[in-house]
Amino acid sequence: MTYSLDFRKQVLKTLDEGMTFAEAAGFYNLSPTTIQNWKRRVHSKTTRQTKPYKIPDDVLLNDVKEHPDDYQYERARRLNCSKTGIYHALKRLGISQKKDLRTSKSLSNQKSDILQQA
């Protein structure tokens, strides 16, 4: 939540008048860390340090078609981004990362058949 510049200045003014960080935090119902951060920089950030990176939908969809059973870290390596970025992009596109269970079901049936024979 972003507080107004007037409110920030009011809190900092009470510090200049002799109130401690703990007292101001209790009085204004704020965290002392928040007040310390305001003391360092009164104005809120308006720009980012890094450019936001969004994985293009068409590139990711093409990668999913070409490599349907790959893990997210493998996609991240190919698309030169993070695993978390892949996770959020797949979630945005509504793509589930569940593996094809046909093979797993046939294996589990074979195992149960072996256990039933014993």
Side-chain angles (χ1 to χ4, degrees), residues 1-53:
M1 178 172 145
T2 304
Y3 292 96
S4 69
L5 184 59
D6 293 336
F7 179 70
R8 291 173 183 227
K9 287 181 179 180
Q10 178 184 349
V11 172
L12 294 176
K13 184 179 177 186
T14 58
L15 290 177
D16 292 339
E17 292 172 354
M19 192 180 276
T20 66
F21 283 99
E23 291 170 344
F27 184 77
Y28 290 106
N29 197 21
L30 296 169
S31 165
T33 307
T34 300
I35 298 172
Q36 289 171 352
N37 289 338
W38 290 352
K39 187 123 176 120
R40 276 187 260 129
R41 187 190 68 247
V42 177
H43 299 282
S44 61
K45 292 181 182 179
T46 57
T47 60
R48 299 176 72 149
Q49 293 287 1
T50 58
K51 179 184 166 202
Y53 183 78

